[in-house]
Amino acid sequence: MGEVYNFPTSRPPNAAPETCATAKGEVDLLIGAQAFPRAVLLLARSFIAGYETYPRGAALFATQQRWLLCHAALACHFRVANADGPGLTRRTLAHVALQHGIASRNTAHAFFDEVLKYDVIRSAGGAADGHAAQAVPSPAALSMLIRWYAVHFEALDLVDNGCRAARFLAQPESMLACMQPRVADVLLSSPDVRAPRPFYAIFTWADAGGLLMDRLVAGISPEELAEPNRYQTDVNAISHLARSSGLSRAHTSRKLSAAESIGGMGWSGRRGHSPIWISRGFYEEYAGAQACKLLILNNAFEEATAAIMLASEPNLKPQARSLVSTTY
């Protein structure tokens, strides 16, 4: 597949956000890393496991619009922890959604009310109510978020034999407070994230459609990736795929038919009674989306590590501060 990937030196913590579009070469290099296919399978299988553990929370990360709203909401929350914002409220979430063109005000309000109802977030208390009432992530949601970051760092560690996951899990609350606003800013402004390619888009804009992609990719054996044009999965029936993602059979069938109509997938034998295959193009779109996200998270990790070190060493001389910023 290629050489072991060496991640570039991180930018200083106050550097301007970089989108995947400006780092296309880095994405290609990461995809070409020898261990990257294993990292992709790790991510896909972990997303499915996360859904089985916390289905309501994981499903929010399986649809493009809701995934972006989640990151926007979490950024609002962690910015107040950093004394840099008003916190998570219906008003602030709607403002960010409109600012970045994620959703209408009414959709953002409905999303806020839904996640509040199902205890993904909960009231922070205080005197304010209505649009100004602050909310915070529930313990279950924070646990899921920590696991989401950790599994991405495990994937990065697979690529370069790093130790990000262990370092992150040693102080997850501090790391999240530093990383999440930065990650959200880049995700919300990245053209590559906001405008997925055709195969990926078929699923990512559907209700929990990302889980369908995850399940298909998770069902590929590493040996299959040596095939030139298509990769057979272990999924044999639409009903099984629907159950594993919490979707109806009819909805799942529509998504598969749409992907099949443009050559993204098919059946190795009788339709609905034989293993599904996905095209190389479909897999490459999925892998490319994961690579883009991993690079964003890697940059955020390095910047957060440097920022936390600087905060813990206030007496560092300017030369030492500069060295820390370019080393971590």
Side-chain angles (χ1 to χ4, degrees), residues 185-255:
D185 286 345
V186 180
L187 290 175
L188 295 175
S189 62
S190 169
D192 299 273
V193 172
R194 297 296 303 275
R197 295 171 65 188
F199 295 126
Y200 200 87
I202 286 173
F203 294 94
T204 196
W205 285 107
D207 288 344
L211 289 168
L212 295 177
M213 286 192 294
D214 297 333
R215 180 61 187 87
L216 289 169
V217 172
I220 300 172
S221 69
E223 294 75 21
E224 278 292 317
L225 296 176
E227 296 297 320
N229 298 316
R230 60 177 63 170
Y231 310 129
Q232 185 169 295
T233 75
D234 64 357
V235 179
N236 291 280
I238 294 176
S239 57
H240 171 74
L241 186 59
R243 283 195 303 272
S244 67
S245 54
L247 299 174
S248 70
R249 190 183 188 284
H251 183 79
T252 302
S253 182
R254 284 194 297 271
K255 293 294 108 182

Side-chain angles (χ1 to χ4, degrees), residues 20 23 29-30 99 125 177 208 234 286 294 312:
C20 290
L29 285 172
L30 177 54
Q99 178 185 2
D234 64 357
Y286 183 91
L294 286 171
S312 67

Side-chain angles (χ1 to χ4, degrees), residues 5-321:
Y5 185 77
N6 292 315
F7 286 91
T9 301
S10 175
R11 301 179 309 283
N14 60 350
E18 181 178 9
T19 68
C20 290
T22 63
K24 180 65 166 60
E26 290 181 23
V27 171
D28 291 341
L29 285 172
L30 177 54
I31 290 173
Q34 186 174 11
F36 184 70
R38 288 193 293 132
V40 171
L41 291 179
L42 169 67
L43 289 173
R45 291 167 182 173
S46 297
F47 298 153
I48 295 300
Y51 174 76
E52 293 170 352
T53 302
Y54 184 33
R56 192 173 299 280
L60 292 173
F61 269 36
T63 304
Q64 177 86 344
Q65 185 184 57
R66 288 174 165 240
W67 181 63
L68 292 173
L69 284 169
C70 282
H71 277 291
L74 290 163
C76 291
H77 165 71
F78 283 110
R79 279 198 170 98
V80 77
N82 297 334
D84 188 28
L88 172 57
T89 67
R90 292 174 96 242
R91 180 176 294 135
T92 56
L93 180 59
H95 173 75
V96 175
L98 289 171
Q99 178 185 2
H100 291 280
I102 307 170
S104 68
R105 189 184 310 276
N106 287 343
T107 298
H109 286 167
F111 175 81
F112 184 95
D113 294 341
E114 179 186 351
V115 294
L116 185 63
K117 175 182 176 181
Y118 290 112
D119 199 40
V120 178
I121 60 174
R122 54 181 57 171
S123 173
D129 56 15
H131 292 298
Q134 282 201 22
V136 296
S138 68
L142 279 177
S143 293
M144 188 204 78
L145 182 64
I146 289 170
R147 183 57 193 153
W148 185 84
Y149 271 96
V151 75
H152 285 84
F153 294 143
E154 288 170 14
L156 286 164
D157 292 342
L158 261 182
V159 173
D160 69 349
N161 297 317
C163 56
R164 298 170 191 79
R167 291 164 65 190
F168 168 73
L169 290 172
Q171 48 180 343
E173 293 83 4
S174 299
M175 292 291 285
L176 282 178
C178 287
M179 288 190 301
Q180 181 57 37
R182 178 77 175 194
V183 168
D185 286 345
V186 180
L187 290 175
L188 295 175
S189 62
S190 169
D192 299 273
V193 172
R194 297 296 303 275
R197 295 171 65 188
F199 295 126
Y200 200 87
I202 286 173
F203 294 94
T204 196
W205 285 107
D207 288 344
L211 289 168
L212 295 177
M213 286 192 294
D214 297 333
R215 180 61 187 87
L216 289 169
V217 172
I220 300 172
S221 69
E223 294 75 21
E224 278 292 317
L225 296 176
E227 296 297 320
N229 298 316
R230 60 177 63 170
Y231 310 129
Q232 185 169 295
T233 75
D234 64 357
V235 179
N236 291 280
I238 294 176
S239 57
H240 171 74
L241 186 59
R243 283 195 303 272
S244 67
S245 54
L247 299 174
S248 70
R249 190 183 188 284
H251 183 79
T252 302
S253 182
R254 284 194 297 271
K255 293 294 108 182
L256 295 184
S257 294
E260 188 176 5
S261 70
I262 58 172
M265 57 150 291
W267 304 86
S268 57
R270 181 184 171 194
R271 192 178 194 282
H273 298 276
S274 61
I276 292 175
W277 56 261
I278 65 172
S279 69
R280 179 174 179 174
F282 188 161
Y283 173 82
E284 287 178 346
E285 285 190 17
Y286 183 91
Q290 303 310 317
C292 178
K293 183 174 46 169
L294 286 171
L295 286 169
I296 291 171
L297 294 178
N298 183 63
N299 284 337
F301 173 85
E302 299 294 355
E303 291 160 9
T305 302
I308 290 171
M309 179 173 288
L310 290 174
S312 67
E313 299 289 346
N315 296 322
L316 276 180
K317 294 181 179 180
Q319 296 91 332
R321 285 175 172 267

